[in-house]
Amino acid sequence: MSRLQVVSGKGGTGKTTVAAALALALATEGKRTLLVEVEGRQGIAQLFETEALPYEERKIAVAPGGGEVYALAIDAERALLDYLQMFYKLGGAGRALKKLGAIDFATTIAPGVRDVLLTGKACEAVRRRDKKNQYAYDHVVMDAPPTGRITRFLNVNDEVAGLAKFGPIHNQAQAVMRVLKSPETQVHLVTLLEEMPVQETVDGIRELRAAELPLGNVIVNMVRPHLLDEEALRSAAGEQRTAVARALSEAGLGSARRGGLAERLVDPLLEQAAEHAQRVELEREQRAVLAGLDLTAYELPLIGAGLDLAGLYRLSKELRAHLAGTHPSGSDPSGSGPPGSGRPVNRLSGIHQSGGTS
């Protein structure tokens, strides 16, 4: 499996949550995973209910089987200071530049350089080896920028081409791109079964393919269960109104006669059922769009209104089942079966075990 897992998605789709759950899933059975944040939002610290992450790799969780999850919040200014020390041995002079505001100026005026620094730090962790010449981390998971700018963020070589034709910056960008465009990397896109996130996912996939960046999977997040099938909806809306009222009455909700409480509850219930049916149809349409992308897509369930640490571990278990190829399918690719069980929309293979492009 690819060693660098990049997770992107439209804002509000839960990409940080999916990245965190993926890091936990990959860290099972004694593996070591580094979870990297590049946007400065401290979303990882909030999910793991810990204090704000410093600019250092810190263990934040233990996965089933004794694996470990480390986290790093990459700061562009600090990364540039490291870079200046590494290539130019500036030391105290670099810190003086920071005090003068030169570091902030450099990372703001040249966003391409900033992205080289952010992606470069993650790629360095992918390549890093210990004294035994073993990889320091089995996997690195990057909580990346949203889908709308993920291709530009990852395609750093093109971004710095106009800034540095040669020299350390140029060489660093090329080294980063060798990792990002290799079988070591996969880019996963998180979406919801809603029109705007799905369309942004489609656009993002097209841009990533054009840039020849290695695609992974589409992860459909926060899928709600289907409570009624179409036959039940049609029956309730038609000749079975009396039966519905009688069932409500038998459940202790008042009289089924006209004007009784049970009878008066039928219309509000049918309105909710109609809204549910409409949502189911819209979701089916979006599943059809995702099924045409020629990528593996699978679903993760909606877990309550506010995700806590226990919910995060539950999502990691869903992902872990896919990694092992043991998650039950339970339905056909059209989405007509029971959703929300983590099943794939397109084909059951989970996250690709073989790295590279899909």
Side-chain angles (χ1 to χ4, degrees), residues 5 30-31 43 63 76 85 121 147 149 154 169 176 208 219 241 246 256 272 278 288 291 294 315 330 334 350 352:
Q5 305 288 323
K31 300 291 180 61
Q85 173 62 21
K121 191 71 175 177
T147 316
R149 68 184 192 93
L154 294 177
I169 286 281
V176 168
L208 288 165
I219 302 173
R241 289 178 56 87
R246 186 180 302 115
Q272 291 187 27
Q278 184 179 28
D294 194 29
L315 283 182
S334 69
H352 298 296

Side-chain angles (χ1 to χ4, degrees), residues 69-133:
V69 176
Y70 287 74
L72 170 65
I74 303 178
D75 176 82
E77 289 191 8
R78 292 288 299 274
L80 182 53
L81 287 173
D82 285 352
Y83 177 86
L84 293 174
Q85 173 62 21
M86 183 184 303
F87 289 102
Y88 297 102
K89 310 298 181 185
L90 289 185
R95 290 189 292 274
L97 287 173
K98 176 176 174 62
K99 290 182 179 180
L100 292 173
I103 302 297
D104 181 61
F105 174 79
T107 56
T108 301
I109 202 69
V113 172
R114 181 179 184 276
D115 290 348
V116 168
L117 296 168
L118 295 174
T119 54
K121 191 71 175 177
C123 291
E124 181 275 326
V126 172
R127 297 189 301 256
R128 191 190 312 158
R129 295 179 181 268
D130 59 22
K131 294 180 180 179
K132 297 180 180 179
N133 200 34

Side-chain angles (χ1 to χ4, degrees), residues 58 66 75 102 111 119 124 144 151 188 235 257 284 338:
R58 171 181 292 179
D75 176 82
T119 54
E124 181 275 326
T151 302
H188 309 291
S235 297
R257 295 178 180 177
R284 182 175 287 112

Side-chain angles (χ1 to χ4, degrees), residues 18 79-80 91 99 119 134 176 192 205 208 221 248 357:
V18 172
L80 182 53
K99 290 182 179 180
T119 54
Q134 296 179 334
V176 168
L192 305 178
I205 289 171
L208 288 165
N221 196 25
L248 292 173
T357 58

Side-chain angles (χ1 to χ4, degrees), residues 5-84:
Q5 305 288 323
V6 180
V7 180
S8 181
K10 179 177 170 56
T13 59
K15 69 177 180 65
T16 298
T17 299
V18 172
L22 179 58
L24 275 170
L26 291 171
T28 55
E29 305 305 326
K31 300 291 180 61
R32 284 165 55 95
T33 300
L34 177 64
L35 178 58
V36 176
E37 182 176 75
V38 298
E39 294 186 279
R41 297 186 295 107
Q42 290 293 337
I44 292 172
Q46 295 175 30
L47 280 170
F48 284 94
E49 300 175 5
T50 187
E51 60 187 20
L53 296 174
Y55 182 67
E56 63 183 35
E57 293 159 24
R58 171 181 292 179
K59 186 167 75 171
I60 60 170
V62 176
E68 299 175 327
V69 176
Y70 287 74
L72 170 65
I74 303 178
D75 176 82
E77 289 191 8
R78 292 288 299 274
L80 182 53
L81 287 173
D82 285 352
Y83 177 86
L84 293 174

Side-chain angles (χ1 to χ4, degrees), residues 194-208:
E194 298 174 5
E195 185 175 0
M196 289 185 64
V198 168
Q199 185 57 53
E200 189 162 313
T201 299
V202 172
D203 294 340
I205 289 171
R206 182 175 61 250
E207 292 173 0
L208 288 165

